[in-house]
Amino acid sequence: MERIPILRMGNTLLVTIQVDMQDRTALALQEDLATRIADTGATGVMIDISGLEIVDSFVGRMLSSISGIARILSAHTVVVGMQPAVAITLVELGLSLDGVRTALNVERGMELLRRIREEAPLGR
Amino acid sequence: MERIPILRMGNTLLVTIQVDMQDRTALALQEDLATRIADTGATGVMIDISGLEIVDSFVGRMLSSISGIARILSAHTVVVGMQPAVAITLVELGLSLDGVRTALNVERGMELLRRIREEAPLGR
């Protein structure tokens, strides 16, 4: 099974999702992220989905789930790079990304993370 | 065909390679990177290969080729996250990554890019 790499940049973990997620890959990513957050004490998780042309309810739930897990482990999550067509589809399908913050690209995501870390530090 | 996302962080472009590269994906990545370097004026390219368990001569040539293209466009390239087993295989196979600089992880790669930008600015 392929595992999705998690890159550490300072106190942020960066994940780029490129492939269509299968159940096992998604579960492995959640586990890996939880472990890395705990190990590194990262306070931010950035998930880039610019490579995804389709975000269905499965991926939507996974993003919400990762965000929830990260929050419990005292890290904020920002999803970046959503393609316009994906945003349109999400709204059309009535899928909401519960508790997931978004930003246009990595740079704005970093800026957003910096700001929400200052405004609402989570436990550290 | 899937395209590999290119993330911009300041003056560095970050690419995470997760899937086994096919010829067309590799060519598309080279083109996309060249275009993005020209558009953004990026002076550094970081390629994370921590998701690859095998680097064969095709991938090796692709990394060298990207590095060469980037250099012509005035950007330095650093490959990060190579798994130990991959390094061993490369040496055993006698594959050299011509002109490709490497670092252990993204953070060290960023540090290396910063240093080589200062030491050997390329045309900007």
Side-chain angles (χ1 to χ4, degrees):
Chain A
M1 185 189 58
E2 25 189 50
R3 293 183 102 84
I4 296 177
I6 299 169
L7 311 185
R8 181 182 184 183
M9 291 186 303
N11 47 9
T12 301
L13 301 178
L14 175 66
V15 178
T16 312
I17 298 179
Q18 301 173 12
V19 290
D20 289 335
M21 301 287 276
Q22 306 299 317
D23 291 27
R24 285 177 56 199
T25 319
L27 282 178
L29 177 60
Q30 288 181 19
E31 284 178 23
D32 291 351
L33 260 177
T35 309
R36 285 293 291 276
I37 294 171
D39 286 353
T40 61
T43 54
V45 173
M46 186 161 324
I47 304 177
D48 173 77
I49 59 167
S50 61
L52 295 185
E53 288 177 5
I54 297 169
V55 171
D56 56 14
S57 59
F58 173 69
V59 174
R61 273 199 309 276
M62 182 201 66
L63 294 175
S64 295
S65 165
I66 285 177
S67 177
I69 294 168
R71 196 177 306 116
I72 293 172
L73 294 168
S74 304
H76 298 279
T77 302
V78 172
V79 171
V80 301
M82 189 183 292
Q83 293 188 15
V86 168
I88 293 168
T89 312
L90 283 179
V91 171
E92 282 178 354
L93 292 178
L95 294 175
S96 64
L97 297 179
D98 280 338
V100 176
R101 286 167 182 263
T102 54
L104 194 63
N105 53 39
V106 174
E107 294 198 313
R108 295 206 189 171
M110 286 289 186
E111 174 60 25
L112 176 60
L113 271 179
R114 195 188 57 69
R115 218 167 53 232
I116 57 185
R117 272 188 192 113
E118 283 174 5
E119 285 170 8
L122 285 172
R124 282 180 224 267
Chain B
M1 184 189 57
E2 6 186 67
R3 292 183 102 86
I4 296 176
I6 299 169
L7 311 185
R8 182 183 183 181
M9 293 186 303
N11 48 9
T12 301
L13 301 178
L14 175 67
V15 178
T16 311
I17 297 180
Q18 301 174 11
V19 290
D20 288 336
M21 301 287 276
Q22 306 300 317
D23 291 27
R24 285 177 54 199
T25 318
L27 281 179
L29 176 61
Q30 288 181 17
E31 284 178 23
D32 291 349
L33 259 178
T35 309
R36 286 292 292 276
I37 294 171
D39 287 352
T40 61
T43 54
V45 173
M46 187 163 323
I47 304 176
D48 172 76
I49 60 168
S50 60
L52 296 184
E53 287 176 3
I54 297 170
V55 171
D56 56 14
S57 59
F58 173 69
V59 174
R61 274 199 308 277
M62 182 200 67
L63 294 175
S64 295
S65 166
I66 285 177
S67 177
I69 294 168
R71 195 177 307 117
I72 292 172
L73 294 168
S74 305
H76 298 280
T77 302
V78 172
V79 172
V80 302
M82 187 183 294
Q83 293 188 16
V86 168
I88 293 169
T89 312
L90 282 179
V91 171
E92 282 178 354
L93 293 177
L95 294 175
S96 65
L97 298 179
D98 280 338
V100 176
R101 284 166 184 263
T102 55
L104 195 61
N105 53 39
V106 173
E107 295 199 311
R108 295 207 187 173
M110 286 288 185
E111 174 60 25
L112 176 60
L113 270 179
R114 197 189 55 70
R115 215 166 54 232
I116 58 184
R117 271 188 191 113
E118 282 172 5
E119 285 171 6
L122 284 173
R124 284 179 225 264

